[in-house]
Amino acid sequence: MKQNNECSFEKKLNAYIAGELSEMEHNKVREHISRCHLCQNEIRTLQQVDNFLFQYTEDEVPAGLNEKILNSVSKSHSNPFMRKVVSFSIAASVLISFMAGIVLSNGLYAENTDSDITIGEDSLYSYFEGDYDV
Amino acid sequence: MKLSMNNYKFEVLLQNESKKLFNYLLKILRNKEDAEDILQETFIAFHKKMDSVKETSYKSYLFRTAYHKALNLIKKRNAKNKLVTNYNEMEHFEDKQPKNNEQQNELVKDALSQLKPEEALLMELQFYQKMNYKQIAETLETTQSAVDSKLVRAKKKLIKIINEQKKMQENNLSIV
Ligand SMILES: [Zn+2]
């Protein structure tokens, strides 16, 4: 450790917060922080950035933009039939995995059927989050 | 068969990533129409190269492409006319009393646009895209230790900007 306003651990703090250190190093740094006020302050300052950035709320992609992109790339292959096939296959694969989920949850966890099906539905909806249209 | 598989993957990728990319572009370009244009260009460029990109690198490739395209646009804009944009922003600020979310979003966009574009991209990848150092290094085509030191530098800059914003807000409040 150096003088009053500098600490040799400081340059490891960002990687520490990000969880990028090896387990051994992580523990070493954590142990150090618990008794170093400089590092405690530094971490608080770095976390200011996190708090600031996380106040951003995402906007939705404008309606129809994804469609427009799909149209312009499929034009380069000019095969509208293929587009339908692809869309259909996405819908089919989602449906199949959904059905498989129900079958599995019924079979494996028969006593807990209700909540398992709810999980299946949640993941189906999250798949379709946004303005996806088949 | 390969074509349809690629189309399928492309459609899934568009579905999963377009919102994230769009919001990244909104933050750095601060203009909806420009963000839409660059988003479209990015996906079209990706689609052309898709065969030569590893599937695990799709996201990195998309962000890198969006970054370079946005950077070109920013350069063009800077060469054009700074005064006009500044004036428009001021007008926007005075005219409306923005909603809370909008206001917060504006602060974030304002702060990120004061960073170098590469620093803003670093923040985007770590905070919003939850990439680890390895993935960020791949996107920026650099090393993990470079990512760490660049992140630290960008954060320090951002802290200064945040504090300046706070001071400005306090001054504004005391005037009103
Ligand atoms: Zn310390």
Side-chain angles (χ1 to χ4, degrees), chain A residues 1 6-10 13 29 32-33 35-40:
Chain A
M1 245 175 284
E6 228 177 287
C7 172
S8 60
F9 276 81
E10 199 190 310
L13 295 181
V29 174
H32 167 82
I33 294 169
R35 49 191 172 77
C36 174
H37 289 291
L38 282 176
C39 285
Q40 285 167 15

Side-chain angles (χ1 to χ4, degrees), chain A residues 10-12 14-18 20 42 45-46 48-50 52-62 65-70 72-74 76-77 79 82-83 85-87 89-90 93 127-133, chain B residues 3-4 7-8 10-12 14-16 18-20 22-23 26-27 32 36 39-40 43-44 47 101 104-105 107-109 111-112 123 126-128 130-134 144 148 151-152 155-156 158-159 162-163 165-166:
Chain A
E10 199 190 310
K11 59 181 183 295
K12 286 189 179 165
N14 195 53
Y16 170 79
I17 297 177
E20 293 282 345
E42 183 64 16
T45 311
L46 290 172
Q48 245 186 291
V49 174
D50 298 33
F52 175 79
L53 291 176
F54 285 136
Q55 66 182 336
Y56 180 86
T57 316
E58 283 198 322
D59 277 356
E60 290 300 325
V61 177
L65 185 57
N66 280 357
E67 260 310 298
K68 203 172 142 193
I69 292 170
L70 272 181
S72 55
V73 299
S74 61
S76 63
H77 296 297
N79 196 339
M82 265 333 278
R83 283 258 304 109
V85 172
V86 168
S87 297
S89 67
I90 291 176
S93 64
Y127 187 88
F128 280 109
E129 218 174 42
D131 53 3
Y132 191 84
D133 41 24
Chain B
L3 183 68
S4 70
N7 281 353
Y8 167 75
F10 182 82
E11 206 160 329
V12 172
L14 179 69
Q15 180 56 31
N16 290 338
S18 67
K19 188 175 171 182
K20 294 170 195 161
F22 179 65
N23 277 279
L26 276 181
K27 282 179 220 131
K32 211 175 160 193
E36 285 181 32
L39 183 75
Q40 197 169 357
F43 272 104
I44 290 171
H47 189 264
N101 270 355
Q104 287 182 331
N105 281 3
L107 284 175
V108 173
K109 288 178 193 168
L112 288 175
M123 292 291 129
Q126 190 184 38
F127 285 96
Y128 299 110
K130 312 265 181 277
M131 284 190 187
N132 58 30
Y133 281 11
K134 196 175 165 216
Q144 292 185 46
D148 185 59
L151 268 172
V152 172
K155 277 191 187 181
K156 294 257 153 96
L158 205 49
I159 288 164
I162 295 167
N163 288 334
Q165 275 186 346
K166 276 185 192 157

Side-chain angles (χ1 to χ4, degrees), chain B residues 64-100:
Chain B
R64 195 162 54 235
T65 307
Y67 165 71
H68 285 298
K69 287 189 181 296
L71 201 61
N72 281 340
L73 185 67
I74 291 169
K75 276 179 193 161
K76 266 187 221 161
R77 264 194 210 159
N78 287 348
K80 258 190 182 174
N81 203 339
K82 268 187 174 174
L83 285 172
V84 176
T85 36
N86 283 346
Y87 175 72
N88 284 343
E89 273 163 27
M90 274 166 62
E91 207 173 37
H92 175 78
F93 219 75
E94 282 169 349
D95 272 5
K96 294 180 203 167
Q97 191 72 352
K99 284 182 218 136
N100 226 348

